[in-house]
Amino acid sequence: MEQTCIIVGAGHAGAQLAASLRQEGWTGRITMVGDEPWLPYNRPPLSKAYLAGEKTFDEILIRHAEFYERQGIELVLNASASSIDRPHKAVVLSDGARLAYDKLALCTGARVRRLPEDGFDNVLYLRNRNDLEALRVYLRDGARAVIIGGGYIGLEAAAVLRKFAVSVTVIEAASRVLARVTAPELSQFYQRVHAEKGVEILTGCAIAGLVADAKKPNLAVGLELDNGRSVDADFIVVGIGVVPNTELAEAAGLEVSGGIVTDICARTSDPDIFAAGDCTVHPVKDFGTLRLESVGNAVEQAKAAASAICGKPRPDHSLPWFWSDQYDLKLQTAGISTGYDRIVMRGDAEASASFAAFYLRQGRLIAADCVNRASEFLLSKKLIAEGREIAPEQLADDSRPFKEIVA
């Protein structure tokens, strides 16, 4: 009898899982349920190349319609799952339709964290295509934007908005931008770069409240900070993180703890249900149990899930990696720097736009932030994965090619 695998979620993890199932030999039905009306698409370019007009939507699709047709992958788009009937092995959609499954994969992703004060038409979030289309309306010379959040999303948005000559102020509650993900040296570099591009960055201050237009209360004309300062705005962009979409799993009685709990093969607490992507918490080799928000993690975890679904589990031992594009700067990060006890700089972050920061813990390289340094990034991934120790003075020696140092 033909078996059916239902995939809930049509983002990076869902699209990869569907493709990998066929690669692993799954001959049964594959049905992917997505809550947007479009084919699965790459989200990182939304706030960069797509917003800037450098790529069309068709160019950021993960795969085109012909692929899904050729592979026999059924797409149920513009639909959402409302519950999982585990005893009868069915997914119930919001319109009441029931999809029976033999295996189920949850790739439900995450949603943006929203401000307590909601309902303003010009307070915008950056997660999906609709969000970016709403933002396009405001891209005009001289418009005033306030970005709440000095993480990757906020700074990437600031870089693109400056291309349109929009006036940008970034508000960050922490004492520096990128405080959650990188060292002070990187924060100082990016604050300087953005300042040189005309971005005002206000750190160490929180939002006390939004100011509504006296004549149009559905529009915000600015915000008040907790230090007493007010900032005017034509529109506000919010980038304060995401919340994993775990409600479906939790209601079904699956183990959830800050994310859908999976093992290293993407298996949940139900042997017939798997999960991958931003919605999960799982073991990460050498770094503990984490929830990772990255395309790389979504892809690798989806591959692991597909293998396990097909009965030939292969643990996901991939190294976490991330990237961020701002102006002409490409930051590539290998590993996770949490808990480092020493940082070694290769190159001059104060005088150059090309350098690397290496994070060590007890002499061992655990992470690297590489700005316009592709070679250092690729070789750092190898060093971290192998657990090799390397002398700090060698890492810092920018007079020799990095490949010679790590050979």
Side-chain angles (χ1 to χ4, degrees), residues 145-212:
V146 171
I147 298 176
I148 302 175
Y152 287 134
I153 293 296
L155 295 184
E156 289 168 359
V160 174
L161 292 180
R162 288 302 297 146
K163 290 184 178 181
F164 291 89
V166 172
S167 172
V168 179
T169 300
V170 174
I171 310 295
E172 170 56 50
S175 60
R176 57 186 176 90
V177 300
L178 302 175
R180 189 172 64 91
V181 293
T182 196
E185 289 84 347
L186 270 293
S187 298
Q188 292 166 10
F189 171 77
Y190 275 99
Q191 287 189 209
R192 175 174 59 80
V193 167
H194 279 278
E196 291 172 352
K197 297 292 186 179
V199 177
E200 181 182 23
I201 296 179
L202 305 178
T203 58
C205 51
I207 309 302
L210 273 59
V211 181

Side-chain angles (χ1 to χ4, degrees), residues 83-372:
S83 64
I84 302 169
D85 182 351
R86 286 175 62 192
H88 298 95
K89 299 188 75 171
V91 174
V92 182
L93 302 186
S94 55
D95 63 0
R98 294 173 65 87
L99 304 178
Y101 68 84
D102 296 286
K103 302 294 182 183
L104 173 62
L106 300 179
C107 303
T108 49
R111 61 187 182 276
V112 293
R113 193 181 303 278
R114 306 184 75 88
L115 295 179
E117 294 182 79
D118 218 345
F120 291 99
D121 293 345
N122 61 340
V123 173
L124 310 170
Y125 298 84
L126 304 180
R127 188 65 178 176
N128 57 39
R129 184 185 182 183
N130 282 339
D131 294 335
L132 272 295
E133 296 300 341
L135 177 55
R136 284 185 189 275
V137 176
Y138 298 93
L139 300 184
R140 63 181 186 274
D141 191 344
R144 299 166 301 173
V146 171
I147 298 176
I148 302 175
Y152 287 134
I153 293 296
L155 295 184
E156 289 168 359
V160 174
L161 292 180
R162 288 302 297 146
K163 290 184 178 181
F164 291 89
V166 172
S167 172
V168 179
T169 300
V170 174
I171 310 295
E172 170 56 50
S175 60
R176 57 186 176 90
V177 300
L178 302 175
R180 189 172 64 91
V181 293
T182 196
E185 289 84 347
L186 270 293
S187 298
Q188 292 166 10
F189 171 77
Y190 275 99
Q191 287 189 209
R192 175 174 59 80
V193 167
H194 279 278
E196 291 172 352
K197 297 292 186 179
V199 177
E200 181 182 23
I201 296 179
L202 305 178
T203 58
C205 51
I207 309 302
L210 273 59
V211 181
D213 189 302
K215 296 181 179 179
K216 298 178 180 179
N218 61 317
L219 297 179
V221 294
L223 45 81
E224 302 287 345
L225 303 180
D226 61 355
N227 60 10
R229 177 173 173 175
S230 60
V231 183
D232 296 331
D234 296 306
F235 65 100
I236 297 169
V237 178
V238 182
I240 54 175
V242 297
V243 179
N245 292 322
T246 61
E247 291 79 5
L248 191 65
E250 195 164 4
L254 299 178
E255 184 180 358
V256 173
S257 179
I260 303 170
V261 177
T262 72
D263 67 8
I264 204 164
C265 293
R267 296 174 289 217
T268 73
S269 53
D270 183 315
D272 291 320
I273 301 180
F274 304 76
D278 290 6
C279 62
T280 67
V281 169
H282 60 103
V284 180
K285 185 174 182 291
D286 297 328
F287 294 101
T289 299
L290 302 171
R291 187 176 71 82
L292 299 175
E293 300 168 13
S294 75
V295 172
N297 173 69
V299 168
E300 295 303 325
Q301 205 178 11
K303 291 178 180 179
S307 298
I309 289 170
C310 292
K312 39 188 176 182
R314 287 192 293 272
D316 174 18
H317 291 308
S318 60
L319 179 75
W321 63 276
F322 315 86
W323 83 91
S324 176
D325 292 320
Q326 300 171 46
Y327 307 111
D328 57 350
L329 305 171
K330 178 174 284 294
L331 168 64
Q332 295 170 292
T333 298
I336 297 173
S337 61
T338 304
Y340 74 93
D341 53 35
R342 182 171 182 178
I343 186 169
V344 177
M345 301 298 295
R346 179 180 177 83
D348 190 348
E350 295 184 3
S352 170
S354 174
F355 63 91
F358 299 104
Y359 300 84
L360 306 178
R361 183 168 61 219
Q362 297 180 345
R364 179 179 164 224
L365 182 66
I366 61 170
D369 283 331
C370 306
V371 176
N372 292 342

Side-chain angles (χ1 to χ4, degrees), residues 4-5 7 18 21-22 26 28-32 71-74:
T4 297
C5 179
I7 301 170
L21 279 173
R22 290 296 186 223
W26 181 268
R29 293 183 63 192
I30 302 174
T31 301
M32 182 162 51
Q71 296 296 322
I73 298 168
E74 179 186 3

